[in-house]
Amino acid sequence: MKLFQIVTLFLPATIFITFIWLIHWLDTAYALNLYQYGLYPRTVKGLSGILTMPLLHGDWKHLLNNSVPLMVLISFLYHFFRHHFFRISMYLWLLNGLWTWVFARESYHIGASGLVYAFSSFIFFAGIILHDKKHIALSLLIVFLYGS
């Protein structure tokens, strides 16, 4: 694999993770209390959280714990499904947020953990449908390491 291909492979994940780190830094540095823009289930105000929830994190540890699996999953999703990457990502983002909005407990929900599980699930089921053991193994490894 050439250097350009490797850089390109990690570019979408790097951009997204840099963006959420910047948001968290701004939130922390200026005490913006951005959690209030997270998802609050079953309220009209909480609907905007479907879009903002994965961008907001409670603390640096929470952000770091989401960043590592996101780097791997987004990069692999981009590698395996490059032509449909943005459509898949947006679909999973919205589905995750909508699911949380409908079924979660009444509290502000923030973080990209739902995306980690959504991306892992997508790669897992794609592996089953495509009969590709690499997809299945990758998703199970991420869920095992992330869950523990």
Side-chain angles (χ1 to χ4, degrees):
M1 207 176 220
K2 296 179 184 175
L3 181 60
F4 178 75
Q5 290 173 317
I6 293 170
V7 170
T8 303
L9 176 67
F10 289 101
L11 191 59
T14 303
I15 290 169
F16 178 69
I17 291 168
T18 301
F19 186 62
I20 61 175
W21 276 74
L22 177 63
I23 289 171
H24 189 69
W25 177 79
L26 290 169
D27 186 28
T28 304
Y30 296 103
L32 299 175
N33 296 320
L34 293 178
Y35 76 89
Q36 64 188 328
Y37 298 103
L39 187 148
Y40 201 90
R42 295 171 298 285
T43 64
V44 174
K45 181 184 179 218
L47 282 171
S48 64
I50 291 172
L51 299 177
T52 59
M53 175 180 62
L55 304 173
L56 308 173
H57 289 80
D59 57 34
W60 291 106
K61 183 180 178 189
H62 182 206
L63 180 58
L64 181 62
N65 287 340
N66 282 329
S67 296
V68 174
L70 281 173
M71 178 63 78
V72 173
L73 289 166
I74 291 171
S75 298
F76 276 100
L77 191 66
Y78 184 69
H79 177 69
F80 291 130
F81 304 99
R82 186 166 303 201
H83 298 294
H84 303 288
F85 171 76
F86 290 105
R87 188 173 346 141
I88 292 167
S89 297
M90 288 300 104
Y91 174 74
L92 293 174
W93 186 305
L94 293 173
L95 186 63
N96 168 58
L98 189 59
W99 182 266
T100 304
W101 189 82
V102 171
F103 294 108
R105 64 180 162 73
E106 292 186 18
S107 177
Y108 283 103
H109 295 270
I110 56 174
S113 301
L115 285 181
V116 170
Y117 289 113
F119 290 153
S120 292
S121 298
F122 180 85
I123 293 171
F124 176 79
F125 287 108
I128 290 174
I129 292 167
L130 299 172
H131 304 287
D132 189 335
K133 292 178 185 175
K134 291 180 293 192
H135 288 74
I136 296 169
L138 170 72
S139 63
L140 291 176
L141 178 65
I142 292 294
V143 168
F144 175 73
L145 293 174
Y146 183 71
S148 63

